[in-house]
Amino acid sequence: MAPSEPAGWIADVIAQAAEETGADPSDITVIVAEEVTWRDGSIGCPQEGMGYTQALVPGYRAVLEVGGEELHFHASNSGDFRLCADPQPPYGGDR
């Protein structure tokens, strides 16, 4: 199911971050939660040795702070967020 608005999907991303880190969800700060367009099928999380579609992909990006560390979660419109170890900026973005 695709997230429809920040209030609808950010709670799921916070829960995923809490599970990944063991942090209490109340200790997680949302820095960025936005709809974006990714440059290709890697959705801003390219992995070495993988091939990706070379087309713009609509999706979402969330940046959370947990214990002083930033965690980047990226998704396509499918809403399947993944933690991104080496985040790349979205198309047209320099963040």
Side-chain angles (χ1 to χ4, degrees):
M1 180 165 102
S4 58
E5 60 184 38
W9 56 267
I10 198 62
D12 291 339
V13 176
I14 290 170
Q16 186 176 345
E19 187 175 313
E20 297 258 354
T21 64
D24 187 282
S26 65
D27 293 331
I28 297 173
T29 303
V30 177
I31 298 170
V32 175
E34 63 185 355
E35 288 186 60
V36 298
T37 300
W38 298 111
R39 298 173 188 277
D40 58 33
S42 74
I43 64 169
C45 297
Q47 295 178 356
E48 192 172 327
M50 296 292 294
Y52 299 101
T53 58
Q54 297 300 303
L56 297 177
V57 176
Y60 300 87
R61 174 175 86 114
V63 181
L64 309 178
E65 183 178 350
V66 182
E69 179 182 347
E70 283 189 2
L71 298 177
H72 295 252
F73 288 85
H74 295 180
S76 66
N77 270 348
S78 72
D80 183 22
F81 280 84
R82 71 174 93 152
L83 181 60
C84 190
D86 183 22
Q88 303 299 307
Y91 177 74
D94 57 354
R95 296 168 245 182

